[in-house]
Amino acid sequence: MELSQGVLRGLVQAALDMSGELDQRILLTTSLDAARTALGADSGSFWVPSEKQATCQLATGHGAEALRGSTVPLTALDSVAPHSHTLAAPVLSGGRTVGYLRVVRDAHDDASPFAASDQALLALLADSTASALRTAARIKANDRSGDLTLVEELSREIGSSLDLDRVLQTVVNIAAKAVRFDLGALALYENGKCDIRAVAGAAAVDSNAEEMQDLAFRAAWAAGTGEMFYLSDREAPGSDTERIFLQFFDAELAKVEMQSGLYLPLRDEEGIVGILLLEAKTAEFASVRERELARILANQATVAIRNAKLYSQVPLAEALGAISAKRAEFFAIPLRRRTIAGVSAAIALALVTLVQWPLRVVADTPVFRPTSFATVRPLVSGTVDRVLVREGSEVIAGAPLAQLRDIEARAARLSAAATVRAAEREAGAAASRGDAAGQRLQDIRASSARAALTVRDEALQTLTLRAPVSGSVLTARPELLIDTKLRAGDAFVVLGRTDTLDLEFSVEQREIARVRVGDIVRIRVDALPQRTIEGRVTWIGTLPQPASPAGTPASASASGSTSDAPLVHFPVRALVPNADGAIKPGMGANARVLTAPASLAERLLRTPVRVMRLLWWRMWSWV
């Protein structure tokens, strides 16, 4: 099957677009648009099989609205519809049919039925679609690190404050990172009533506004159930609870154009403290995974809100009385002595607290690594004829790395070129004889042969493997791969980017809280002692790695920590520019992280304060 240059490029571009897409709807739309363009179809659709029937999940082009949601027998997918030509191809994944790509060409004067080559082209596109669907499913199944980061972010943010309003605003804003919604709010619940205290994206809440009052009524009803409640689709309720809810609030939801909602009571053993409400203008806005993540966030928010409310109730009478007594003693001192003491104390305090400079945190065992890796893979199968690089070679993007054996491809190219020349000679001969029909036939033959020649030229170019990025060859002894048979997609060599490098190091657990993403890292390399190199922290690990010898307590460290647990370090990475390539991957270094500025008082007191806090905690844990 020979494809025109435009069709070939369209298929390749569609495969590239689908390979990087995780949204199934966008992925399938890209596939259907590519099928319609390549086959000249008026409409395209994707059908999901179920027993002996198939249901249209997605449709584009002419008549798309009428097709969506319709069901037909599987045997009728490839049948000819009235006044049209139909073609379908299965999308196979793991030996199982997950769907069908179907295209329809309306029958009119210049329309022709689909040919066998069209069937092969649609099958090729179906294979690309199946591969993209598998990749998206695999990535989504493994992509849980973002959830963990979000939960940790909420724990860190709400744990850093006991101010109730700040905690409420933090919870509802972080919920926006877990679930996509159009209206999010958090209400406090007391005596069967809800008070909306925080709205996502809003600095203040007008509780007297009609929309907020309606939202408070919905919150109170959902809080009264005591359990998480999910309204999947206002127009098609799926449970009795949803139908009962809509009997009361369907008009209110329609007024604000909300189609679905998630209502999470904030409940602990003492009762309900509030409710988190998330509403959207689309149906089924929250997946099972997103609802579970929202439930985790709600549980953490319950603890934080309960702590903030308890803190606000602590009496301060004794503390205020002691402050008043000290104030009276101070004013009993003569004015001159008070003035001298006050000025002296102000100067000393300014020197100790106001003069600040970045606190340097030691980076342990720093090592340079390549920033990223790129695997060079052939687009077509072939045998390695020549290898043009060696292990450790520096290459630039686009540089040739190897040449696949091209005898057959060159022979096919010469054959195509010979066909072009023969057709052009025959056309000239027909023109000299005055045979217009023969000349036209030979011109068409020459045009077709030239298109085939273009395809052969592009095929020859794919036999040269080129570097996708600039970097170093990391594969050991690539020259041994000569005469090796490679299939399309097999790994040939691995390149590591060296124009920027990752500096991997670790930081002690006592100092890791000071390190932030974006902090400057100052580095000295033994090979370049005259240069001070700067990088920036790009990643901080959340899981510790052992750093002290087994059984060595952290209490023996110089910091004076009283913990009996072995000293541990946390991994950190920094991005370091290396435009001139002077730094090589694997080099060691001496590095310091410049963290937030600290005064002399903070530097002197940080270790004693840490020790006292640990002692205080231990003392209370024994009670």
Side-chain angles (χ1 to χ4, degrees):
M1 177 182 66
E2 295 183 355
L3 303 177
S4 67
Q5 183 178 0
V7 171
L8 180 63
R9 288 179 177 174
L11 292 178
V12 172
Q13 185 61 46
L16 291 174
D17 292 342
M18 289 189 293
S19 65
E21 183 57 59
L22 298 182
D23 190 297
Q24 181 177 349
R25 185 178 183 85
I26 298 177
L27 189 154
L28 293 176
T29 301
T30 302
S31 175
L32 293 177
D33 290 344
R36 290 172 52 206
T37 302
L39 299 176
D42 295 290
S43 66
S45 53
F46 181 78
W47 299 74
V48 178
S50 176
E51 296 182 354
K52 297 182 179 181
Q53 292 184 327
T55 303
C56 180
Q57 178 178 321
L58 183 67
T60 62
H62 180 68
E65 292 295 333
L67 277 177
R68 293 192 189 104
S70 59
T71 302
V72 299
L74 285 175
T75 55
L77 272 179
D78 210 5
S79 62
V80 177
H83 310 295
S84 63
H85 306 295
T86 308
L87 188 64
V91 178
L92 303 175
S93 179
R96 183 174 62 89
T97 302
V98 297
Y100 292 87
L101 291 181
R102 186 185 189 218
V103 292
V104 176
R105 183 183 294 166
D106 294 341
H108 42 76
D109 294 340
D110 57 347
S112 59
F114 291 106
S117 59
D118 295 330
Q119 179 69 53
L121 189 148
L122 187 60
L124 180 64
L125 189 57
D127 290 342
S128 298
T129 304
S131 177
L133 288 172
R134 288 194 299 270
T135 300
R138 185 164 56 252
I139 292 176
K140 286 184 177 181
N142 294 330
D143 187 17
R144 301 294 299 196
S145 60
D147 297 350
L148 179 60
T149 301
L150 190 62
V151 172
E152 290 176 345
E153 180 182 356
L154 178 61
S155 298
R156 183 172 61 252
E157 291 292 334
I158 65 178
S160 63
S161 174
L162 288 174
D163 181 80
L164 182 58
D165 289 330
R166 180 179 176 184
V167 169
L168 297 175
Q169 194 66 49
T170 299
V171 170
V172 76
N173 285 336
I174 289 184
K177 300 180 181 181
V179 186
R180 295 180 181 178
F181 53 82
D182 296 295
L183 175 62
L186 201 155
L188 294 182
Y189 181 80
E190 189 172 359
N191 298 326
K193 295 182 180 180
C194 280
D195 179 20
I196 305 296
R197 297 286 295 272
V199 176
V205 178
D206 183 7
S207 58
N208 295 322
E210 182 180 359
E211 182 180 356
M212 291 296 103
Q213 291 181 354
D214 292 342
L215 189 62
F217 286 129
R218 296 198 292 275
W221 188 93
T225 65
E227 300 293 337
M228 184 182 79
F229 167 59
Y230 179 54
L231 174 64
S232 58
D233 189 350
R234 180 171 58 84
E235 297 180 356
S239 66
D240 292 336
T241 305
E242 292 180 57
R243 283 186 281 271
I244 295 172
F245 179 79
L246 291 174
Q247 288 178 2
F248 294 100
F249 305 109
D250 183 69
E252 295 177 6
L253 292 172
K255 184 168 57 178
V256 293
E257 299 180 351
M258 294 300 170
Q259 197 70 15
S260 56
L262 179 61
Y263 306 87
L264 298 133
L266 308 182
R267 182 175 185 176
D268 58 12
E269 63 277 2
E270 297 182 23
I272 297 177
V273 297
I275 182 168
L276 177 63
L277 308 92
L278 310 175
E279 296 180 342
K281 296 182 178 180
T282 58
E284 294 286 353
F285 79 103
S287 65
V288 175
R289 168 177 159 270
E290 289 172 332
R291 296 200 297 269
E292 184 59 29
L293 182 57
R295 187 198 297 271
I296 296 173
L297 297 179
N299 291 338
Q300 290 188 321
T302 303
V303 177
I305 292 173
R306 183 69 73 184
N307 290 340
K309 294 183 71 173
L310 291 175
Y311 178 78
S312 64
Q313 299 171 4
V314 174
L316 299 176
E318 294 183 3
L320 293 175
I323 293 174
S324 178
K326 291 295 183 183
R327 180 174 178 272
E329 292 178 7
F330 176 77
F331 280 101
I333 301 174
L335 178 60
R336 185 169 181 274
R337 290 180 59 188
R338 293 203 312 264
T339 303
I340 295 174
V343 171
S344 301
I347 294 174
L349 185 63
L351 292 176
V352 173
T353 60
L354 298 183
V355 179
Q356 297 184 342
W357 63 98
L359 183 64
R360 297 170 182 248
V361 173
V362 177
D364 292 325
T365 61
V367 178
F368 288 101
R369 306 290 187 197
T371 306
S372 60
F373 301 89
T375 303
V376 180
R377 305 176 188 273
L379 297 177
V380 296
S381 301
T383 303
V384 179
D385 190 35
R386 290 182 298 158
V387 177
L388 307 177
V389 293
R390 294 289 183 269
E391 179 183 357
S393 298
E394 296 286 340
V395 297
I396 61 174
L401 305 179
Q403 178 70 43
L404 301 182
R405 199 156 293 161
D406 57 0
I407 297 175
E408 294 180 0
R410 289 190 179 278
R413 197 265 178 200
L414 292 174
S415 175
T419 302
V420 172
R421 292 193 297 271
E424 290 174 346
R425 286 197 302 271
E426 291 294 333
S432 63
R433 295 194 305 269
D435 183 2
Q439 180 184 1
R440 177 60 179 166
L441 179 62
Q442 294 302 324
D443 286 339
I444 293 174
R445 179 187 172 201
S447 177
S448 176
R450 279 191 288 271
L453 180 60
T454 301
V455 173
R456 300 300 183 189
D457 288 337
E458 292 181 355
L460 272 174
Q461 293 178 5
T462 61
L463 295 176
T464 300
L465 305 186
R466 298 183 179 276
V469 296
S470 299
S472 299
V473 178
L474 303 181
T475 301
R477 305 186 69 180
E479 62 271 16
L480 298 181
L481 296 175
I482 294 177
D483 293 332
T484 300
K485 178 68 175 180
L486 297 179
R487 294 177 299 177
D490 284 349
F492 173 60
V493 294
V494 176
L495 302 180
R497 292 191 61 179
T498 56
D499 53 344
T500 55
L501 296 176
D502 273 332
L503 181 68
E504 298 181 355
F505 56 92
S506 60
V507 174
E508 291 184 25
Q509 62 180 359
R510 294 186 298 269
E511 306 290 353
I512 192 63
R514 295 194 61 87
V515 180
R516 296 285 185 270
V517 172
D519 284 350
I520 294 176
V521 182
R522 288 190 176 166
I523 310 155
R524 283 290 180 95
V525 182
D526 292 341
L528 305 166
Q530 73 282 5
R531 288 177 57 182
T532 299
I533 305 163
E534 284 192 355
R536 286 194 178 272
V537 175
T538 57
W539 175 83
I540 302 172
T542 56
L543 297 178
Q545 57 187 19
S548 292
T552 303
S555 56
S557 65
S559 67
S561 172
T562 60
S563 172
D564 293 332
L567 184 64
V568 294
H569 287 54
F570 284 80
V572 181
R573 282 201 296 268
L575 194 64
V576 181
N578 188 35
D580 58 358
I583 308 173
K584 306 299 181 184
M587 280 186 174
N590 297 306
R592 300 289 186 273
V593 182
L594 304 186
T595 63
S599 63
L600 179 60
E602 183 177 351
R603 293 166 187 267
L604 294 176
L605 297 176
R606 58 198 300 263
T607 297
V609 168
R610 181 189 295 122
V611 173
M612 291 302 297
R613 284 178 174 174
L614 288 173
L615 289 174
W616 178 261
W617 175 81
R618 283 190 170 192
M619 185 169 58
W620 277 103
S621 65
W622 293 335
V623 176

